[in-house]
Amino acid sequence: MNYQWYPGHMTKAKRQMQEDIRLIDLVIELVDARIPLSSRNPDIDELGKNKARLILLNKSDLSDENANRQWSDWFQKKGFYVVELDARKRNRMNQIQSAIMEACREKIERDRKRGIRNRPVRAMVVGIPNVGKSTFINSFAGKACAKTGNKPGVTKGKQWIRLNKSVELLDTPGILWPRFDDQSVGLRLALIGSMNDDLLNTDELSLELITYLTAHYPGALSERYQVSEDHDRPVEILEEIARKRNCIQKGNEIDYSKAANLVIDEFRSGRIGRITLELPGGPE
Ligand code: G4P
């Protein structure tokens, strides 16, 4: 990961989360809409049990619209509230506000019965590195970023952002690790750029991507690069892309690495199209 996780880090992050979670009513969990399962933390359901839950399918501008709908349904069936999001924009913020209130309806009702009115819902944002947590907090909090400071009964040092009269957000997001135990999860995380590229074999990665794209998004590569997808091996497609994009080194040799990096970059920035790398119904 950009963030290198070690057992010590993980224990500390988990302990912090356990502490913070006691203070809140709602967990706002960001996942990457291109890999909604692979970008989840393996322990979050256990950590967040007994809390209201909202999933934000973030970077949904980069993922397949049809797949976004499938994932929304899938999470909703599991009891989560879900909003598809591009965290850089503010256009879904009303929808998120409504989802928060809906997700916390029971708590609000309980408060009301006890005669407590207007106690804001408290929420925290969690997710793996780079999923868009800070971007979301900035967009959602906007100018309302006034910190409410320490409150009696709250662990010293905790800062709350008062979003409006009904919601307060813990200002530091919970950073959690993704799964490490499964190679295909690692591959998907690498493809979306969650891992440090220095540690990756980008040539291999690009071939995996080409294989996936020709199988699940036929036509995407031929449209982007004017290449034929009708080859036996993905390396032949990479070679054609290299020629088209002039990835040639001294001696007129194909520069595979340059072409590999180009394809990966263009995938990550959405230039090959809106693509989702896993669908509901696969192995969980
Ligand atoms: P984090 O706090 O969870 O670690 O993530 P952060 O907000 O820093 O976001 C990571 C990168 O993802 C940022 O790009 C941000 O602009 C981008 N990003 C966040 N939400 C969305 C979204 O919904 N759609 C798209 N397309 N991008 C999003 P960055 O800082 O410019 O990094 P990079 O893009 O140069 O890697």
Side-chain angles (χ1 to χ4, degrees):
M1 303 299 301
N2 288 336
Y3 222 98
Q4 290 291 315
W5 290 102
Y6 300 105
H9 271 148
M10 290 162 63
T11 314
K12 192 159 171 243
K14 192 165 173 177
R15 206 178 303 129
Q16 184 67 52
M17 182 79 66
Q18 278 162 336
E19 233 175 68
D20 289 347
I21 240 162
R22 284 188 293 125
L23 309 173
I24 58 153
D25 307 300
L26 169 77
V27 178
I28 302 178
E29 179 188 353
L30 270 78
V31 300
D32 191 302
R34 293 164 297 175
I35 52 167
L37 283 189
S38 298
S39 58
R40 291 194 80 200
N41 169 270
D43 294 338
I44 188 66
D45 285 333
E46 180 59 28
L47 285 164
K49 68 171 193 268
N50 307 326
K51 299 290 170 184
R53 304 288 299 277
L54 170 61
I55 296 253
L56 300 180
L57 283 175
N58 196 36
K59 308 201 184 183
S60 63
D61 54 303
L62 296 172
S63 60
D64 178 340
E65 281 171 292
N66 183 29
N68 290 346
R69 271 193 297 278
Q70 291 185 43
W71 279 115
S72 287
D73 290 349
W74 188 87
F75 279 113
Q76 274 164 16
K77 284 201 183 101
K78 304 240 169 213
F80 297 95
Y81 287 81
V82 188
V83 177
E84 292 169 26
L85 186 66
D86 171 350
R88 297 165 309 169
K89 302 202 173 129
R90 294 183 47 80
N91 59 341
R92 291 290 167 96
M93 298 307 157
N94 287 342
Q95 198 183 335
I96 292 173
Q97 172 73 21
S98 310
I100 291 175
M101 300 319 279
E102 188 62 26
C104 295
R105 205 172 48 190
E106 272 180 34
K107 174 221 161 352
I108 294 166
E109 191 54 26
R110 244 188 349 257
D111 279 357
R112 201 183 58 78
K113 283 194 181 131
R114 291 186 193 141
I116 305 167
R117 277 177 202 275
N118 302 329
R119 182 157 77 186
V121 164
R122 286 191 157 170
M124 78 180 286
V125 171
V126 305
I128 65 169
N130 224 25
V131 73
K133 297 179 293 302
S134 316
T135 309
F136 168 68
I137 292 175
N138 285 335
S139 294
F140 196 42
K143 291 205 178 66
C145 223
K147 307 248 166 89
T148 58
N150 297 338
K151 295 232 165 142
V154 172
T155 317
K156 197 164 172 286
K158 292 281 171 239
Q159 296 273 310
W160 296 89
I161 304 169
R162 180 134 203 185
L163 296 174
N164 49 47
K165 66 178 182 358
S166 41
V167 185
E168 286 186 353
L169 201 61
L170 199 57
D171 81 334
T172 37
I175 305 171
L176 287 168
W177 58 94
R179 277 167 57 186
F180 299 117
D181 55 347
D182 181 330
Q183 264 199 339
S184 59
V185 170
L187 171 67
R188 290 182 203 118
L189 287 163
L191 283 171
I192 65 157
S194 252
M195 311 260 206
N196 186 343
D197 279 349
D198 298 345
L199 306 175
L200 299 171
N201 179 340
T202 45
D203 292 8
E204 275 300 318
L205 203 58
S206 75
L207 296 177
E208 295 281 0
L209 179 61
I210 289 170
T211 304
Y212 182 85
L213 291 176
T214 49
H216 296 90
Y217 292 90
L221 287 171
S222 60
E223 191 174 317
R224 176 79 193 157
Y225 301 107
Q226 282 76 54
V227 295
S228 161
E229 294 181 14
D230 204 11
H231 289 287
D232 293 333
R233 294 182 308 145
V235 70
E236 293 162 22
I237 299 180
L238 185 62
E239 188 172 326
E240 245 200 274
I241 293 172
R243 287 188 202 286
K244 290 277 179 180
R245 290 302 183 94
N246 219 12
C247 301
I248 306 292
Q249 47 194 350
K250 263 190 259 142
N252 219 16
E253 299 264 321
I254 300 277
D255 189 341
Y256 285 99
S257 295
K258 191 169 170 193
N261 282 315
L262 178 105
V263 173
I264 292 170
D265 272 359
E266 297 206 343
F267 161 70
R268 286 178 184 165
S269 61
R271 275 170 287 176
I272 299 181
R274 294 179 59 171
I275 287 153
T276 297
L277 295 174
E278 63 189 6
L279 288 175
E284 282 176 29

